[in-house]
Amino acid sequence: MTSTAAPPTATSRTAEPRPQGDRRFGLPVATCLVMGNIIGGGIFLLPASVAPFGTISLVAFAVLTLGAVALALVFGRLAQRHPQTGGPYVYARAAFGDFAGFLAAWSYWITTWVSNAALAVAAVGYLGVLFPAVGAHKWSMCLAALTVQWLPALANLAGTRYVGAVQLVGTVLKFAPLLLVAVGGLLFFDPANLGPFRATDQTAIGAVSASAAILLFSYLGVESAAVSAGEVRDPARNVGRATILGTVGAATVYLLGTLAVFGLVAHDTLVSSQAPFTDAVNAMFGGTWGGTAVACAAVVSMVGALNGWTLLSAQTPYAAAKDGLFPKVFETKQRGVPVVGVLVTVVLASALTVYNYTAGSEGVFEVLVLVTTFTATVPYLLSTAAQLYFLLSGQSERVHRGRLVRDGVLAALAFAFSMWLVAGSGYAAVYQGVLFLFAGVAVYAVMAARRRRATVQPAE
């Protein structure tokens, strides 16, 4: 499709006007944003989820880590040439025009607000451990889920300085108990608890692929710094660093944490565990206080993830709105935050949350969550394809000749990793996700028509 406006140039570094007193994120906060968004609440269930496959699941983790790091490196390279807010949207539009950019923005936006609803609902289960009254009735659970969503939204509306502060504190509080198990647990490690290397009748490749299907989405969020590049100081330098540091940090916690739990909890117990980290802490120190500690860590983890994802949910529509591909109202910014994007996102997530509790149809909600695992990979595929396009089309201003081969290999690996994510989401999720994308085509048609009228009318 022919673009109705020239794509942004790769060398454009024009900064947006910043409100007085507004602060951009430095490297530490940007790194925490990546780590906090990658590690939500799933880490607290992952060891039990993959235990039925045996310790071969650690091999799948290692393979996925390599793919995630390759994707992080590609985002870092792209951010050096396109240090604007929007991340995958910016890269896709620069390479393939408005329509591809819109698809990246649309699919990423769907991912964020549906995922926010899922995180809030999941957090309620851990809140019920701390405050039993929360789980007493579906309406108390619904109110708790809405509260968990709106508190990070209010922090975002207060300005980027508060978003950064909440993200930094939340990441520190989150990682303290995780590192306790990931590092301290190795001191209590008992190889006898590991169980069989391959616990199923599948072949080694089949077992790795099956466990990878569960683990595939553990690394969603590697693009966090790239999406918020406009809010990062010296984005051409810091976005790539934050992306790589955040991804490697999250991968380290994932791998060490899962390995420690495997060595602390007997395999037969771990397979049926509903709270593997709780069992691990109890095995380390005895007693039953581990449940409370893990519940606190899980709530902090999810609120921190919601804080970061709420910011990301507004950044991509903001970037698209500036180019006329989303409604102009999404362009509204206050204190460095796209306030309309934050409000619309939290309202949609809240509506989905209320629907989940009132309809009582867990199947519908689970399908929507699975859809997000597909929609999240669309921007990844478009971004890695954009990098391949820049490398192969001879655009010297967009590539570094001395690193051409290395960047090409990384882009190819990241593209393959993104395709693996799509395959792992399952047929039903891909089917539903495509329907979501096609719904966006109608929105694009309306926005493109408006842009066309705006450019033609003055000449008439």
Side-chain angles (χ1 to χ4, degrees), residues 129-220:
V129 176
L130 301 174
F131 309 102
V134 169
H137 192 274
K138 69 176 183 179
W139 287 115
S140 61
M141 297 170 67
C142 182
L143 180 60
L146 293 175
T147 302
V148 168
Q149 287 178 35
W150 277 90
L151 287 177
L154 292 175
N156 274 264
L157 293 174
T160 53
R161 70 177 67 182
Y162 296 101
V163 177
V166 171
Q167 198 66 28
L168 187 59
V169 172
T171 301
V172 172
L173 293 178
K174 173 198 305 187
F175 277 91
L178 290 177
L179 289 176
L180 172 65
V181 175
V183 179
L186 298 179
L187 300 176
F188 300 85
F189 192 90
D190 184 356
N193 290 328
L194 290 176
F197 178 69
R198 204 168 67 220
T200 65
D201 295 332
Q202 296 170 293
T203 64
I205 294 178
V208 169
S209 298
S211 55
I214 298 173
L215 301 169
L216 277 173
F217 315 110
S218 304
Y219 288 106
L220 295 182

Side-chain angles (χ1 to χ4, degrees), residues 373-415:
T373 62
F374 166 74
T375 57
T377 61
V378 173
Y380 291 177
L381 283 169
L382 289 172
S383 297
T384 53
Q387 176 72 337
L388 287 171
Y389 170 76
F390 294 147
L391 293 171
L392 297 176
S393 59
Q395 300 184 49
S396 58
E397 76 279 4
R398 284 190 168 101
V399 299
H400 191 292
R401 290 293 180 183
R403 295 194 289 260
L404 185 61
V405 174
R406 188 198 71 177
D407 287 350
V409 172
L410 285 173
L413 288 174
F415 187 85

Side-chain angles (χ1 to χ4, degrees), residues 2 33 49 54 63 73 90 110 116 125 131 144 206 211 219 228 287-288 310-311 352 363 383 408 420 424 455:
T2 303
L33 183 66
S49 299
V63 174
L73 289 168
V90 174
I110 292 172
N116 281 2
F131 309 102
S211 55
Y219 288 106
S228 298
T288 59
T310 299
L311 175 65
L352 182 57
S383 297
W420 197 9
T455 56

Side-chain angles (χ1 to χ4, degrees), residues 38-328:
I38 291 177
I39 300 181
I43 181 63
F44 296 96
L45 297 175
L46 279 177
S49 299
V50 297
F53 301 101
T55 52
I56 195 172
S57 57
L58 295 174
V59 176
F61 241 139
V63 174
L64 290 173
T65 298
L66 292 176
V69 171
L71 187 60
L73 289 168
V74 169
F75 275 123
R77 295 294 297 144
L78 287 168
Q80 288 181 0
R81 298 295 176 182
H82 301 269
Q84 300 96 7
T85 292
Y89 159 74
V90 174
Y91 315 145
R93 183 170 182 257
F96 309 119
D98 287 348
F99 186 59
F102 173 83
L103 286 180
W106 177 261
S107 58
Y108 196 78
W109 185 53
I110 292 172
T111 299
T112 55
W113 63 264
V114 178
S115 295
N116 281 2
L119 272 172
V121 172
V124 170
Y126 289 101
L127 280 172
V129 176
L130 301 174
F131 309 102
V134 169
H137 192 274
K138 69 176 183 179
W139 287 115
S140 61
M141 297 170 67
C142 182
L143 180 60
L146 293 175
T147 302
V148 168
Q149 287 178 35
W150 277 90
L151 287 177
L154 292 175
N156 274 264
L157 293 174
T160 53
R161 70 177 67 182
Y162 296 101
V163 177
V166 171
Q167 198 66 28
L168 187 59
V169 172
T171 301
V172 172
L173 293 178
K174 173 198 305 187
F175 277 91
L178 290 177
L179 289 176
L180 172 65
V181 175
V183 179
L186 298 179
L187 300 176
F188 300 85
F189 192 90
D190 184 356
N193 290 328
L194 290 176
F197 178 69
R198 204 168 67 220
T200 65
D201 295 332
Q202 296 170 293
T203 64
I205 294 178
V208 169
S209 298
S211 55
I214 298 173
L215 301 169
L216 277 173
F217 315 110
S218 304
Y219 288 106
L220 295 182
V222 298
E223 75 291 342
S224 302
V227 172
S228 298
E231 312 306 327
V232 179
R233 286 195 298 271
D234 192 7
R237 178 183 178 87
N238 285 332
V239 167
R241 291 183 172 187
T243 301
I244 295 167
L245 290 173
T247 302
V248 171
T252 301
V253 172
Y254 275 151
L255 290 169
L256 289 180
T258 303
L259 178 61
V261 173
F262 274 21
L264 287 168
V265 183
H267 180 261
D268 292 341
T269 302
L270 185 59
V271 168
S272 59
S273 174
Q274 298 298 314
F277 272 77
T278 295
D279 294 337
V281 172
N282 290 340
M284 290 169 64
F285 304 110
T288 59
W289 60 271
T292 301
V294 171
C296 288
V299 171
V300 170
S301 177
M302 292 181 186
V303 172
L306 276 167
N307 181 64
W309 278 108
T310 299
L311 175 65
L312 298 189
S313 68
Q315 296 289 19
T316 299
Y318 165 78
K322 287 180 67 66
D323 296 324
L325 299 180
F326 255 59
K328 188 174 179 61

